Amino acid sequence: MNLDQDPELEAFRREVIEFLDTAPTDEIREAGRRTTSAFAPFDQTMAWQAILNEKGWAAPGWPAEYGGTGWSVEQRYIYSEEYARRDLPPLLPNGLKMIGPLIIDKGTEEQKKRYLPGILAGKDYWTQGYSEPGSGSDLASLRCAAVRDGDDYVINGSKIWTTLAHRANRMFMLVRTSTEGRKQAGITFLLLDRVDYPGMEIRPIVNLAGEEEQCEVFFENVRVPVSGRIGEENDGWAVSKHLLTYERGANVTAPAMRRHLVHIRDAAEAAASPYGGSLAEDPVFQRDIGELAADITSFEAVERLIHSGHPMGRDIATPSMNKVIGSEITQRLTVLMTRIAGVGAIPRQLEEIEVGSGIKPVASEFELTAMPWYLNSRATTIYAGTNEVQRDLISRTLGAR
């Protein structure tokens, strides 16, 4: 994939630069700078998605017939590079990068017409109901049950770690519809077109970083329409595995990693070393940031191969490999952030880093966001299937078992 010295690609890059330099509001830019996890500040990010949708750029990865851009792989990479350079908030992934592509691939025509426009426009936020207390990495052991009753399923049980459920208006979830045979054979995938059904309760959870990002959701005789089912009853395991290929490996993430490196290097150059000079001149820092830069370059090379149609992209182990490497690089980046921030990362001034707070900061923006980034990134090697599970899946494709 060569992005240089191509007049058409250069013209496209200029178009992207002009739009991204002028379209975002100040609040949207602030939301990008104050993002401390994979989930950027909700209101500003959804507003930004609506602006992108008006431009037709909300879902570069979607097929053009469903509202995608129709861009080439090279154009998508250029867009990702320029997007990252401006520290704009990443769009929330659940709709655009998870349930949207699944509905396109596996949904009925009625489901596509009903749900895809709202996902694109940023009007609907879908929370994911997979994990349960006692059933996280071993997802097949889930117990939240749905029983068919006429045109409805009646759901009883609970879900946990349902990201931003308290801000959602829709939900996709896995439920147990049979206890016969293998655990994986009794699961069904459902779309809930609202999250305020009678008998449904959502309780936010304060996470390590002090933010309300995760939730617990309870179901007591909640009736949802059967028309929200994707795939056949008891076929939800295969449906969820298809969705996970998008969650684990369908994104362009290397440009954002490189942007993190730029911020870390800038902060190190501004920070004094106790041995004289700046932290950027410290040999240990130079070794660590050099290793990270090399690993991101390798990751990016593979990512470009995958997205350019290389056979590697069709290997069933590739999403797992991407998930493992990408999540571990993310954690190493945040470790380096906290080392550079030093004692400046200790204050937990969460109210100050809220967009538009206007509260006087007690440290720099880099320092105040370093610790929340670090704490939130501890989960990256757990969610979307733990890295231990991913390594097990990779080993099976290599014939280790």
Side-chain angles (χ1 to χ4, degrees):
M1 187 191 304
N2 184 6
L3 306 183
D4 302 321
Q5 300 178 339
D6 182 311
E8 291 187 6
L9 290 179
E10 281 303 309
F12 175 75
R13 188 184 293 275
R14 288 194 295 274
E15 180 187 0
V16 170
I17 290 172
E18 181 179 0
F19 179 74
L20 296 183
D21 279 347
T22 55
T25 64
D26 290 342
E27 289 77 16
I28 290 169
R29 295 184 189 282
E30 185 178 353
R33 296 195 309 272
R34 301 193 170 199
T35 296
T36 57
S37 77
F39 292 84
F42 188 87
D43 292 329
Q44 295 77 20
T45 302
M46 296 301 268
W48 174 224
Q49 183 177 322
I51 294 172
L52 287 170
N53 185 54
E54 289 183 9
K55 178 71 172 175
W57 290 5
W62 285 23
E65 63 184 296
Y66 294 111
T69 58
W71 289 340
S72 66
V73 175
E74 292 82 0
Q75 287 175 311
R76 287 180 58 193
Y77 237 91
I78 287 172
Y79 177 74
S80 298
E81 288 178 345
E82 298 302 333
Y83 194 102
R85 283 176 183 152
R86 283 154 185 79
D87 297 323
L88 294 167
L91 301 186
L92 302 180
N94 288 22
L96 293 170
K97 297 178 180 176
M98 294 166 62
I99 194 62
L102 179 74
I103 292 173
I104 291 171
D105 291 347
K106 303 288 186 181
T108 65
E109 289 304 312
E110 193 278 333
Q111 288 169 341
K112 293 175 186 176
K113 291 178 182 175
R114 182 171 186 179
Y115 295 129
L116 295 181
I119 294 173
L120 274 174
K123 294 180 179 177
D124 296 332
Y125 174 73
W126 291 75
T127 191
Q128 181 191 54
Y130 275 18
S131 297
E132 298 178 9
S135 179
S137 297
D138 183 17
L139 188 59
S141 67
L142 66 86
R143 294 180 297 176
C144 185
V147 177
R148 179 77 179 261
D149 183 19
D151 291 332
D152 293 337
Y153 281 110
V154 181
I155 305 175
N156 281 283
S158 67
K159 296 289 178 179
I160 199 167
W161 314 130
T162 44
T163 307
L164 297 178
H166 59 314
R167 305 301 305 270
N169 61 334
R170 302 191 193 277
M171 181 177 189
F172 58 93
M173 65 183 301
L174 293 172
V175 291
R176 180 155 300 285
T177 42
S178 173
T179 56
E180 302 292 327
R182 297 172 65 243
K183 294 185 295 184
Q184 293 87 345
I187 294 172
T188 298
F189 195 106
L190 295 179
L191 304 175
L192 275 58
D193 56 9
R194 46 191 279 211
V195 295
D196 59 350
Y197 281 107
M200 197 169 171
E201 181 184 0
I202 298 172
R203 298 178 188 169
I205 299 170
V206 178
N207 65 15
L208 274 176
E211 302 162 343
E212 290 185 351
E213 189 172 281
Q214 311 299 326
C215 295
E216 192 167 15
V217 184
F218 299 89
F219 300 84
E220 184 176 354
N221 296 320
V222 175
R223 300 184 73 92
V224 303
V226 173
S227 59
R229 188 182 71 209
I230 290 190
E232 299 299 322
E233 186 171 292
N234 298 327
D235 195 32
W237 187 254
V239 177
S240 66
K241 285 172 66 178
H242 187 84
L243 183 148
L244 282 169
T245 62
Y246 290 109
E247 185 176 3
R248 291 170 182 163
N251 302 324
V252 177
T253 54
M257 293 176 178
R258 288 198 175 282
R259 186 62 179 166
H260 272 293
L261 273 186
V262 170
H263 288 308
I264 291 170
R265 187 177 288 112
D266 289 346
E269 289 175 351
S273 167
Y275 305 106
S278 72
L279 282 177
E281 299 171 284
D282 182 271
V284 175
F285 169 79
Q286 291 178 346
R287 179 201 63 193
D288 291 347
I289 199 168
E291 289 178 350
L292 262 171
D295 288 346
I296 291 172
T297 298
S298 298
F299 181 76
E300 183 173 32
V302 173
E303 195 172 68
R304 287 190 180 201
L305 275 179
I306 293 169
H307 289 283
S308 64
H310 190 276
M312 178 187 293
R314 296 190 289 275
D315 192 306
I316 58 174
T318 297
S320 295
M321 180 186 70
N322 260 18
K323 197 272 177 177
V324 169
I325 299 174
S327 61
E328 292 180 352
I329 287 177
T330 298
Q331 288 189 344
R332 289 164 59 197
L333 284 166
T334 62
V335 169
L336 200 50
M337 284 179 71
T338 54
R339 280 175 47 195
I340 299 305
V343 295
I346 294 176
R348 302 283 297 281
Q349 199 180 14
L350 295 176
E351 67 279 13
E352 192 280 331
I353 62 173
E354 290 181 7
V355 177
S357 71
I359 297 173
K360 185 178 180 180
V362 297
S364 71
E365 196 168 67
F366 178 87
E367 292 168 330
L368 289 177
T369 56
M371 185 58 74
W373 257 117
Y374 170 82
L375 294 172
N376 284 325
S377 74
R378 298 306 92 192
T380 60
T381 49
I382 300 173
Y383 61 57
T386 68
N387 283 15
E388 289 78 6
V389 169
Q390 304 313 307
R391 286 190 166 92
D392 188 56
L393 293 172
I394 294 169
S395 73
R396 295 184 188 191
T397 67
L398 296 174
R401 293 188 176 185

